[in-house]
Amino acid sequence: MIKQLHFFWIAITITIVISISLGLMGKLTAQQASISHPLTSLTEAEISTAVSAIKREKTLSEMAAFPLIALQEPDKKEVLNFTPGKPFGRKAFLVIYERSLNKTYEGIVDLTSKTLSSWQEIPSVQPAIVNPEYELATQVVKADPQWQKAMQRRGISDFEQVTISCWAPGILSKQEEATDNRLCRALSYYKGKGWNYYGSPIEGVLATVNLNTGKIASFVDRGKVPFSKENWNYDLKSLGKLLSAPKALKILQPNGASFRINNNEISWQGWKFRYLMHPRNGLMLYQVTYGDGENVRPVLYRASLSEMVVPYGDPDPTWSFRNAFDVGEYNLGLLANTMELSKEIPENGLLLDAVFANEQGEPYKIPGVIGIYERDNGMLWKHYEYNTQRNDVRRNQELVMTMTAAVDNYDYSINWIFHQDGTLEVQNELTGIVLAQGTAAQKQSEDDSYGRLIAKNIFGVNHQHFFNYRLDFDVDGQANSVMEMNLKALPMDEKNPLGNAIAITETTLANETSAVRDLDMKSSREWMIVSANKKNTLGAAPGYMLMPGGNSIFFPVEGSNIRQKAEFATHHVWVTKYKPTEFYAGGDYPNQTQPGQGLPKYIADDESLTGEDIVLWYTMGVTHIPRSEDWPVMPVHRVGFKLVPRGFFSRNPAINLPE
């Protein structure tokens, strides 16, 4: 605790010093800042006001929980028409779960009048798991005679040496679907003498807990499987002899940072945008614009991670349910953690706080949960002229805004990266600890087709990570269309005698069902959001292009439960006409959800996408076949995409950067 406080005060001190140099003192958090814009995060006072209004107007039981409290999305037109100093409304959105009744409610509180303006029960849904339920599951499991006997059969008599990990139930049986109870799956790990228990899963034991009744709903013991007894701690003392450290690398900005913060608005090198830390989505962007000379041009209204799914590829019943929706089942934003300068972000960075609410509806602040910094990334542009030996080159400086979150064993970061050439990049980083499976194996077997042995008695199961991003484009305004670009090599004929011709075709995706698309490497396929009523200096529609990075296909086969539940992951691109209630690719409540929620429902009315306010949803995936080098903590793996201007500028927007 003393060490944590030490780091906390160091982070606060550095933050204050940097803030003074930027002229930002007293303006770093939503709690400190005046509420000067509709897209300002909820303050602690506003959260308390919202919860008090609910409790005043509705009779809640002592078991009632608040899985989600967030800013109610303001009306888009009102935000776009907002001018500083003009009054505006503030509302809070709350999800309330009554565990004793197994009922979920949504409430909207008008923060100006401090009254409940909307209240409705949402039937047959389960919100995200909340903290007390993890504790409840542990107590229920450890008190169960079946589980105790299973541990004793494995030579474990001290149950305090076992850690319980509670998962959303994932794929339900027909019987579980019929009962409509709130469930979780409890995994068991042996702690032993070390603190890194992830290396010692107690394989074959699975308890399903009814969180409504506080009892075991079902129990499975598939027989004793050896688990690793090694100490997999990775603190410096446990690791023993260390590698030689590289010499110190200092990142300094002697003249201060180039970005400026005004409440939650950030400006840098022509870019201007607002950020908001959402308890479910995590770090989000709003009103992303670029200053093209004197003209401030909109690019995106809203951009956020919408959903994730992590399907595991072992058909064993104690594994096949594992298909985590990390955003909607666990509230990814609430799992964000405090970062440190010179660790998650470089020493020239700035750490910002965020205000959330716990399951009792009490506000709290997480310090240093958002990082922002500038970095060098090689050359931006260059040309060397041989005849005159003239060498023109500019360095590439980028602005990065980031958050990190730990979802049980895995760690993720979300990075929004702004480039000087008008490109906006998204980069996700995956690290943490591979979800291990216990095994008797000491060496790799040819029969191990569901994964790979990564250490003695530790098997890494094949799995995937799929991320869906919701991108509400407003390229030069709200009237946009979407184009698909494909390349093809033309056959040799009299017009193409050498066979070198490459032709491009651009196709308008006119409606929602025709805009469900997939990557195609053979045609170098990309997508472009263009203005429907404006032309650039060359007479073409200005646009922003989705440039995919690494990706994968979703491997669960047609007819599989997880494919039906996570249908958003079965295609790389979806495009919808903007609707103010459509935010989540996997549906509003993916925990114990029915098939076909989210994007399949959003496109069911097959609306026109020509000259409309449109939203592009991009899905990117990572297929992870674990390797020994991933153990005990895997090196960072990066995956992302870019939004690149195409005909948006009349020339390279960074050509006139000074040396």
Side-chain angles (χ1 to χ4, degrees):
M1 184 64 184
I2 293 173
K3 186 176 181 181
Q4 289 175 333
L5 287 172
H6 176 69
F7 282 129
F8 171 77
W9 285 116
I10 288 176
I12 291 297
T13 302
I14 293 173
T15 298
I16 292 173
V17 170
I18 296 175
S19 301
I20 292 172
S21 69
L22 293 174
L24 304 174
M25 188 62 179
K27 297 182 180 179
L28 291 180
T29 68
Q31 178 65 15
Q32 295 170 323
S34 59
I35 305 170
S36 59
H37 192 276
L39 293 173
T40 304
S41 298
L42 290 181
T43 66
E44 292 178 271
E46 287 180 319
I47 290 171
S48 297
T49 296
V51 173
S52 296
I54 294 281
K55 290 182 175 180
R56 185 173 60 249
E57 300 192 35
K58 295 294 176 181
T59 302
L60 303 181
S61 73
E62 293 183 358
M63 299 174 68
F66 294 84
L68 184 72
I69 301 177
L71 177 70
Q72 168 68 12
E73 193 83 12
D75 181 79
K76 183 175 180 179
K77 289 183 179 179
E78 290 183 11
V79 173
L80 293 174
N81 293 328
F82 171 76
T83 55
K86 178 182 176 182
F88 56 91
R90 292 277 287 176
K91 294 181 179 180
F93 173 78
L94 304 91
V95 175
I96 302 93
Y97 180 67
E98 281 282 13
R99 187 158 67 87
S100 58
L101 302 174
N102 193 22
K103 290 186 176 182
T104 302
Y105 301 90
E106 290 181 355
I108 298 175
V109 173
D110 187 312
L111 295 169
T112 304
S113 64
K114 300 181 180 181
T115 58
L116 183 61
S117 58
S118 174
W119 178 266
Q120 60 177 330
E121 180 184 349
I122 311 299
S124 303
V125 301
Q126 295 292 340
I129 295 177
V130 295
N131 279 328
E133 292 175 320
Y134 296 106
E135 299 169 11
L136 173 64
T138 295
Q139 294 170 5
V140 171
V141 170
K142 289 192 174 183
D144 182 66
Q146 299 174 94
W147 180 86
Q148 292 178 355
K149 290 179 181 178
M151 296 302 105
Q152 289 166 350
R153 282 195 289 271
R154 290 161 173 81
I156 302 171
S157 56
D158 181 3
F159 303 144
E160 291 303 310
Q161 291 298 311
V162 180
T163 294
I164 302 298
S165 176
C166 179
W167 281 52
I171 304 302
L172 303 178
S173 67
K174 296 295 183 183
Q175 182 179 359
E176 288 170 337
E177 288 180 354
T179 59
D180 197 32
N181 289 316
R182 183 168 172 82
L183 305 173
C184 80
R185 314 280 189 199
L187 311 180
S188 301
Y189 292 88
Y190 183 67
K191 287 189 293 187
K193 297 179 181 179
W195 47 262
N196 180 16
Y197 55 84
Y198 288 114
S200 302
I202 301 173
E203 203 57 50
V205 176
L206 179 66
T208 299
V209 178
N210 184 330
L211 295 171
N212 300 126
T213 63
K215 296 180 179 179
I216 295 290
S218 64
F219 184 81
V220 174
D221 184 353
R222 294 177 61 81
K224 183 178 177 180
V225 177
F227 54 83
S228 176
K229 301 296 196 304
E230 292 189 40
N231 182 345
W232 290 111
N233 293 353
Y234 45 88
D235 57 282
L236 297 183
K237 182 179 179 181
S238 298
L239 292 173
K241 187 177 180 180
L242 302 178
L243 297 173
S244 298
K247 292 183 179 180
L249 175 64
K250 292 290 183 180
I251 303 171
L252 302 175
Q253 291 184 282
N255 299 322
S258 303
F259 61 87
R260 292 291 180 265
I261 303 181
N262 180 18
N263 294 327
N264 71 330
E265 183 182 69
I266 295 179
S267 55
W268 177 83
Q269 293 287 289
W271 289 103
K272 186 174 285 187
F273 62 93
R274 293 188 178 273
Y275 73 90
L276 191 147
M277 193 69 174
H278 193 278
R280 178 168 173 170
N281 303 88
L283 182 59
M284 301 167 49
L285 305 184
Y286 281 96
Q287 291 189 288
V288 180
T289 64
Y290 195 94
D292 185 12
E294 298 298 318
N295 188 16
V296 177
R297 303 175 67 185
V299 177
L300 288 156
Y301 175 73
R302 183 184 188 274
S304 70
L305 175 64
S306 170
E307 191 53 86
M308 291 174 55
V309 64
V310 186
Y312 282 83
D314 191 322
D316 185 282
T318 63
W319 276 81
S320 56
F321 79 89
R322 304 185 198 202
N323 302 279
F325 286 69
D326 288 334
V327 174
E329 288 181 335
Y330 302 103
N331 280 334
L332 185 78
L334 294 181
L335 300 176
N337 42 68
T338 296
M339 297 181 286
E340 297 178 54
L341 296 177
S342 299
K343 291 192 175 181
E344 292 90 346
I345 71 171
E347 59 192 317
N348 65 314
L350 178 67
L351 293 169
L352 304 169
D353 306 340
V355 172
F356 289 132
N358 64 19
E359 57 279 352
Q360 284 82 40
E362 301 164 340
Y364 65 96
K365 185 188 298 181
I366 305 182
V369 75
I370 302 166
I372 182 169
Y373 62 95
E374 294 169 274
R375 70 183 182 192
D376 179 272
N377 193 23
M379 289 189 299
L380 178 61
W381 60 262
K382 169 188 167 75
H383 180 64
Y384 179 81
E385 176 56 55
Y386 281 99
N387 294 326
T388 62
Q389 296 186 2
R390 177 188 175 95
N391 184 37
D392 289 283
V393 61
R394 300 293 186 274
R395 294 297 296 177
N396 183 10
Q397 197 160 313
E398 301 172 346
L399 180 72
V400 183
M401 200 161 198
T402 186
M403 64 157 282
T404 62
V407 190
D408 203 23
N409 56 298
Y410 258 107
D411 293 73
Y412 300 95
S413 77
I414 298 172
N415 299 276
W416 300 96
I417 305 169
F418 293 84
H419 297 253
Q420 292 167 301
D421 66 353
T423 295
L424 174 57
E425 182 179 359
V426 173
Q427 188 180 85
N428 287 3
E429 294 176 316
L430 293 74
T431 181
I433 300 177
V434 173
L435 187 66
Q437 184 181 85
T439 176
Q442 303 275 321
K443 294 184 179 180
Q444 184 69 46
S445 167
E446 293 181 2
D447 296 331
D448 293 336
S449 59
Y450 300 140
R452 286 292 179 266
L453 197 69
I454 56 178
K456 293 180 179 180
N457 301 119
I458 299 176
F459 189 75
V461 175
N462 301 336
H463 61 282
Q464 296 186 286
H465 303 255
F466 270 78
F467 307 85
N468 181 275
Y469 276 83
R470 180 187 184 274
L471 305 167
D472 181 358
F473 279 95
D474 282 356
V475 178
D476 271 340
Q478 291 178 266
N480 287 173
S481 298
V482 58
M483 311 288 291
E484 180 176 284
M485 296 180 291
N486 289 279
L487 295 178
K488 65 177 180 179
L490 298 182
M492 294 179 66
D493 56 20
E494 64 278 2
K495 293 182 179 180
N496 183 29
L498 298 181
N500 65 313
I502 304 172
I504 184 172
T505 58
E506 293 186 354
T507 305
T508 300
L509 303 180
N511 50 15
E512 291 177 327
T513 55
S514 67
V516 181
R517 307 296 292 166
D518 289 303
L519 296 178
D520 185 355
M521 183 180 291
K522 292 184 294 183
S523 64
S524 193
R525 181 173 295 165
E526 293 175 335
W527 295 269
M528 186 166 65
I529 304 299
V530 300
S531 173
N533 53 19
K534 295 181 181 177
K535 300 294 183 183
N536 61 21
T537 55
L538 301 176
Y544 255 79
M545 179 172 61
L546 171 67
M547 185 179 290
N551 214 319
S552 181
I553 63 168
F554 197 59
F555 277 112
V557 298
E558 292 286 347
S560 64
N561 297 61
I562 186 54
R563 194 177 182 91
Q564 296 169 1
K565 187 178 176 183
E567 196 168 342
F568 72 87
T570 63
H571 296 286
H572 298 121
V573 168
W574 307 65
V575 187
T576 60
K577 181 180 177 181
Y578 170 81
K579 288 197 174 96
T581 58
E582 294 179 351
F583 291 121
Y584 299 111
D588 292 345
Y589 295 94
N591 188 13
Q592 300 185 214
T593 191
Q594 294 298 310
Q597 302 301 304
L599 281 170
K601 278 194 171 183
Y602 298 166
I603 68 167
D605 53 4
D606 199 21
E607 293 209 68
S608 170
L609 300 176
T610 304
E612 300 287 353
D613 187 359
I614 59 179
V615 179
L616 187 147
W617 310 69
Y618 178 62
T619 304
M620 61 183 181
V622 173
T623 299
H624 189 182
I625 311 303
R627 56 199 176 103
S628 58
E629 291 84 356
D630 289 331
W631 193 256
V633 178
M634 63 179 282
V636 165
H637 178 86
R638 295 177 175 87
V639 62
F641 61 93
K642 293 181 179 180
L643 303 177
V644 180
R646 185 176 176 87
F648 190 81
F649 300 103
S650 59
R651 63 176 186 175
N652 177 353
I655 195 69
N656 56 344
L657 273 174
E659 289 187 288

